[in-house]
């Protein structure tokens, strides 16, 4: 072997996200202790686990919001934050990181809508600034996406005037405006009042059927059962168990998975 | 005796119950006192010949006074622009991961904000004692520029340099506080959309920091405008110096000081109004109402004041 390439790690075909032995430490605390995971293209993976299990940290490593301390973490056969040259990982230039991140959408627990922009402006910002779309183009696309999440009538509303559920739906539309190949959801319904959870899950269900690859960190077991192609239980910084959601919820192999599920079901 | 027995429950109807407002006797006394004091003040000011109101009228729009007003405005605007630029750089340095950049910015703020403005002003005025010649030379190329310090550093430029450096210390702190007031989630969300650092700062963070930056900056601009009267000590013909030049000759000290105070108050008033509209503009995402700039802010300003009075 003369040069190392990501392909040499024998990543299975049609894999969107591939993790092997991913480690991450904050100072002396090791949060991820070797995460192994495979998310096929076009599938929906739901990650569950107790707080502190590292599931959100892992999600943030996928689009390099956090750098990793070691291991292999590929999105479409490439590192997001690094270039592999002669067996060493070099941190990519900021412009290249931006280019790669633009294809990975993320939805946050606290929505993080831009507070100084209306709902529609939130959707238009990145397509104009990053993708170089014209205002008219971005506006038309933005309105179509707001329509899709049922909020076309709120196009000119400020984030503060929207309910939590509406804000999260705008945030999902904002991520979609970049045409991502992969969507990451970091506990998208955890900050919502119970009666608003349904409207956000409905949008996510609709998205799952559209064939986009989704990784969802969630406490919504019902959503995982209904929509997920894969259920991943993380505990103590590793993947304890992964498999078909319906099978796993019925009959988990691991003792710890069963114990956790008995608390949340 | 129980009072409820004195009224027949059949005659007292719930709909007839009324509230009697309490009497504020203390309030009335205080108001009368203040009015009396005001009357005495106006009487004293109006009848005292030393105030010389006709002289005030004569000098209010005097040519050299108006030129002083213009110079004071010019100084304020120029200094504020440079202070904002230097302050923004210092604020970003203070938030930098590099310890050396952070320490440098801290030291800058400590020194230029801490040393009195008047002392800095006189120091820069005497720059020629330390450095008689200003020379810019590059090794290998030779001297690019050389001049006598006293020719370069006119009183006006001295005032701009000294007060800009001083004011930048305050602006750095205001801008830093503004930037840190924007939640980290905003930056994160923007970077997941593929926006680069500089663009995030310009498009996402600074516009939202503005609502925290504008009110204290307005105060700073007002303070600075008044502080520019310090430059009269190095003979920059600002508003105060222009008045001093006249009363040194005519001895009409009090009327001219009244003229100066009038113009400072007028300028402060206009600046406060401008600040009010700026604040409305940057708070528009809070107060509702569709997007749309300055005109919307104006419309809102009037509807707001009406609402308060109603």
């Amino acid at each position: 072997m003369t040069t190392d390439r990501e392909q040499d790690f024998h990543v299975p075909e049609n894999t969107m996200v591939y993790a092997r032995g991913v480690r991450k430490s904050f100072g002396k605390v090791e949060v991820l202790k070797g995460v192994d995971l495979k998310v096929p293209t076009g599938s929906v993976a739901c990650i569950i686990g107790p707080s502190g299990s590292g599931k959100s940290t892992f999600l943030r490593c996928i689009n390099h919001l956090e750098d990793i301390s070691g291991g292999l973490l590929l999105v479409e056969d490439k590192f997001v934050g690094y270039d592999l040259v002669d067996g060493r990982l070099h941190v990519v230039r900021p412009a290249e990181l931006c280019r790669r991140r633009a294809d990975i959408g993320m939805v946050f627990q606290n929505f993080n809508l831009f507070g100084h922009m209306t709902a529609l402006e939130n959707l238009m910002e990145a397509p104009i600034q990053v993708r170089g779309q014209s205002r008219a183009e971005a506006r038309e696309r933005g309105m179509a996406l707001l329509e899709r999440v049922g909020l076309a009538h709120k196009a000119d509303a400020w984030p503060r005037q929207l309910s939590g559920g509406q804000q999260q739906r705008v945030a999902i539309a904002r991520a979609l405006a970049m045409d991502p190949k992969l969507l990451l959801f970091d506990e998208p319904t955890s900050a919502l009042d119970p009666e608003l959870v349904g409207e956000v899950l409905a949008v996510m269900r609709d998205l799952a059927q559209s064939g986009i690859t989704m990784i969802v960190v969630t406490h919504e077991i019902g959503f995982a059962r209904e929509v997920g192609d894969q259920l991943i239980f993380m505990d103590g910084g590793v993947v304890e168990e992964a498999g078909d959601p319906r099978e796993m919820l019925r009959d988990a192999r691991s003792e710890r998975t069963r114990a956790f599920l008995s608390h949340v079901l | 005796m129980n009072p409820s027995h004195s009224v027949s429950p059949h005659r007292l109807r719930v709909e007839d119950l009324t509230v009697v407002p309490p009497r504020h006797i203390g309030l009335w006394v205080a108001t009368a006192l203040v009015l009396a004091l005001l009357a005495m003040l106006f009487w004293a000011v109006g009848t005292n010949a030393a105030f010389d109101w006709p002289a005030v009228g004569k000098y209010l729009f005097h040519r050299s006074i108006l030129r002083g007003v213009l110079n004071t405005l010019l100084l304020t605007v120029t200094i504020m622009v440079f202070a904002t630029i230097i302050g923004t750089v210092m604020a970003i340095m203070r938030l930098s991961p590099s310890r050396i950049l952070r320490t440098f910015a801290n030291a800058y703020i400590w020194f230029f904000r801490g040393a009195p403005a008047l002392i800095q002003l006189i120091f820069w005025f005497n720059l020629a004692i330390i450095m008689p010649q200003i020379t810019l030379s590059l090794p290998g190329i030779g001297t690019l520029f050389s001049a006598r310090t006293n020719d370069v550093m006119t009183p006006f430029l001295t005032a701009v340099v000294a007060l800009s450096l001083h004011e930048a210390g305050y602006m750095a702190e205001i801008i830093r506080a503004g930037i840190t007031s924007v939640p980290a989630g905003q930056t994160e969300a923007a970077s997941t959309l593929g926006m680069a650092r500089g663009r995030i700062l310009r498009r996402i963070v600074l516009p939202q920091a503005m609502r925290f930056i504008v009110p204290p900056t307005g105060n700073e601009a007002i303070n600075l405008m008044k502080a520019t009267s310090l430059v009269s000590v190095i003979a920059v013909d600002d508003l105060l110096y222009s008045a001093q030049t006249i009363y040194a000759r005519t001895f009409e000290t009090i009327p001219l000081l009244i003229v100066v105070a009038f113009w400072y108050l007028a300028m402060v008033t206009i600046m406060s109004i401008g600040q009010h509209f700026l604040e409305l503009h940057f708070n528009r995402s809070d107060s509702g109402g569709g997007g749309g700039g300055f005109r919307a802010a104006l419309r809102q300003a009037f509807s707001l004041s009406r609402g308060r009075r109603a």
Side-chain angles (χ1 to χ4, degrees):
Chain A
M1 198 174 356
T2 49
T3 54
D4 298 298
R5 287 173 311 148
E6 284 90 338
Q7 284 85 338
D8 298 327
F9 290 110
H10 306 291
V11 180
E13 278 197 5
N14 292 325
T15 300
M16 179 59 76
V17 175
Y18 186 74
R20 210 195 298 163
V22 173
R23 285 179 291 108
K24 168 70 185 173
S25 302
F26 290 107
K28 287 203 175 77
V29 186
E30 193 170 47
V31 181
L32 301 180
K33 298 172 178 169
V35 174
D36 298 318
L37 183 63
K38 192 185 77 180
V39 179
T41 304
S43 73
V44 177
C46 294
I47 305 179
I48 57 170
S51 60
S53 60
K55 51 196 196 305
S56 280
T57 304
F58 176 70
L59 197 73
R60 292 163 62 83
C61 285
I62 295 176
N63 62 357
H64 203 68
L65 274 183
E66 306 284 355
D67 55 1
I68 58 175
S69 312
L72 184 69
L73 180 51
L74 307 177
V75 175
E76 282 199 326
D77 298 346
K78 283 186 87 70
F79 283 94
V80 172
Y82 307 95
D83 278 323
L84 183 65
V85 181
D86 296 332
R88 288 159 62 96
L89 293 177
H90 297 265
V91 175
V92 297
R93 289 178 302 111
E96 177 61 19
L97 178 61
C98 286
R99 210 180 54 73
R100 295 183 192 176
R101 269 185 182 154
D103 292 334
I104 305 173
M106 187 156 188
V107 174
F108 298 86
Q109 183 175 353
N110 297 316
F111 331 131
N112 292 340
L113 288 182
F114 303 136
H116 60 309
M117 298 180 183
T118 63
L120 181 60
E121 285 166 354
N122 263 279
L123 269 63
M124 292 165 63
E125 179 67 13
I128 292 173
Q129 297 288 330
V130 179
R131 294 266 196 250
Q133 287 182 16
S134 71
R135 282 196 74 81
E137 200 180 344
R139 175 180 300 273
E140 190 181 333
R141 189 73 214 297
M143 281 309 295
L145 283 167
L146 282 178
E147 187 81 51
R148 181 167 173 190
V149 298
L151 288 171
H153 61 293
K154 293 288 185 189
D156 293 325
W158 301 103
R160 261 168 259 261
Q161 298 168 322
L162 300 174
S163 73
Q166 291 171 332
Q167 287 191 53
Q168 194 60 297
R169 281 147 69 196
V170 173
I172 293 172
R174 178 176 68 177
L176 290 174
M178 293 297 282
D179 288 315
K181 58 192 179 196
L182 168 64
L183 258 181
L184 309 173
F185 292 84
D186 189 5
E187 306 202 16
T189 56
S190 299
L192 297 176
D193 291 335
E195 78 272 19
L196 302 177
V197 170
E199 60 187 76
V200 173
L201 291 182
V203 168
M204 290 169 63
R205 208 171 286 128
D206 169 57
L207 273 180
Q209 273 147 17
S210 75
I212 190 171
T213 313
M214 291 166 57
I215 302 179
V216 187
V217 169
T218 187
H219 296 292
E220 297 292 331
I221 304 291
F223 176 82
R225 187 201 333 254
E226 193 189 334
V227 181
D229 298 304
Q230 189 183 185
L231 184 62
I232 296 149
F233 173 64
M234 278 183 73
D235 194 13
V238 294
V239 172
E240 173 73 16
E241 185 171 353
D244 179 76
R246 288 147 290 269
E247 264 173 43
M248 228 170 109
L249 288 170
R250 199 177 336 109
D251 186 21
R253 268 176 287 118
S254 143
E255 185 62 47
R256 278 198 287 173
T257 313
R258 278 201 296 273
F260 176 77
L261 287 174
S262 73
H263 284 300
V264 294
L265 282 177
Chain B
M1 187 184 95
N2 194 332
S4 67
H5 286 271
S6 61
V7 182
S8 152
H10 300 290
R11 284 179 47 210
L12 184 65
R13 297 189 312 157
V14 176
E15 304 87 76
D16 295 337
L17 290 176
T18 49
V19 177
V20 182
R23 273 183 246 285
H24 301 285
I25 295 173
L27 201 64
W28 282 106
V29 174
T31 308
L33 256 170
V34 167
L35 285 176
L37 278 171
L38 273 176
M40 282 161 71
L41 182 71
F42 279 119
W43 180 256
V45 170
T47 56
N48 191 327
F51 282 100
D52 198 358
W53 292 102
V56 172
K58 187 174 72 186
Y59 286 115
L60 198 53
F61 297 102
H62 191 278
R63 273 181 63 102
S64 42
I65 293 291
L66 289 184
R67 205 186 51 230
V69 169
L70 221 67
N71 278 340
T72 291
L73 275 178
L74 188 64
L75 266 177
T76 308
V77 172
T78 316
I79 292 167
M80 210 58 209
V81 168
F82 282 118
T84 307
I85 294 168
I86 302 169
T88 308
V89 173
M90 288 299 150
I92 292 169
M93 277 168 73
R94 267 205 75 170
L95 299 168
S96 151
S98 155
R99 201 209 223 115
I100 291 171
L101 292 184
R102 276 203 314 268
T103 310
F104 176 84
N106 280 335
Y108 176 94
I109 293 164
W110 172 77
F111 182 82
F112 284 98
R113 199 176 59 160
L118 184 56
I119 290 170
Q120 294 190 43
L121 198 61
I122 299 172
F123 176 86
W124 285 100
F125 191 59
N126 289 301
L127 187 65
I129 301 174
I130 313 170
M131 207 165 71
Q133 290 273 331
I134 295 177
T135 308
L136 180 68
S137 53
L138 288 175
I141 298 171
T143 303
L144 292 175
F145 172 86
S146 183
R148 277 187 51 219
T149 301
N150 274 341
D151 294 342
V152 179
M153 295 296 279
T154 59
F156 189 86
L157 187 61
T158 303
V160 168
V161 171
L163 293 182
S164 293
L165 292 174
H166 176 65
E167 191 59 37
Y170 288 97
M171 287 308 296
E173 285 297 86
I174 291 173
I175 292 165
R176 182 186 62 92
I179 290 175
T180 47
S181 74
V182 179
Q186 295 285 307
T187 305
E188 275 187 1
S191 46
T192 61
L193 290 165
M195 292 174 76
R197 268 184 59 116
R199 187 164 271 159
I200 294 172
L201 190 67
R202 224 171 43 244
R203 300 276 315 169
I204 307 297
V205 176
L206 281 180
Q208 295 188 77
M210 283 311 272
R211 30 187 306 198
F212 294 90
I213 291 175
V214 167
T217 302
N219 288 341
E220 275 309 312
I222 288 169
N223 270 336
L224 172 68
M225 199 195 61
K226 293 178 295 176
T228 55
S229 59
L230 289 176
V231 304
S232 57
V233 304
I234 59 168
V236 176
D237 54 348
D238 76 320
L239 178 53
L240 178 59
Y241 188 77
S242 306
Q244 284 173 333
T245 323
I246 299 173
Y247 70 63
R249 210 173 53 234
T250 66
F251 300 106
E252 291 162 304
T253 312
I254 298 296
L256 276 156
L257 287 179
I258 292 172
V259 168
V260 168
F262 168 84
W263 279 112
Y264 274 116
L265 282 171
M267 288 189 281
V268 167
T269 307
I270 292 167
M271 283 167 83
S272 310
I273 294 170
Q275 181 187 350
H276 173 71
F277 283 119
L278 268 181
E279 280 174 32
L280 280 180
H281 174 75
F282 285 110
N283 284 339
R284 69 200 200 282
S285 62
D286 253 0
S287 38
F294 186 71
R295 206 185 289 178
L298 250 163
R299 208 179 310 124
Q300 215 162 17
F302 289 111
S303 65
L304 211 74
S305 55
R306 257 209 312 277
R308 265 194 212 131
R309 246 159 244 154

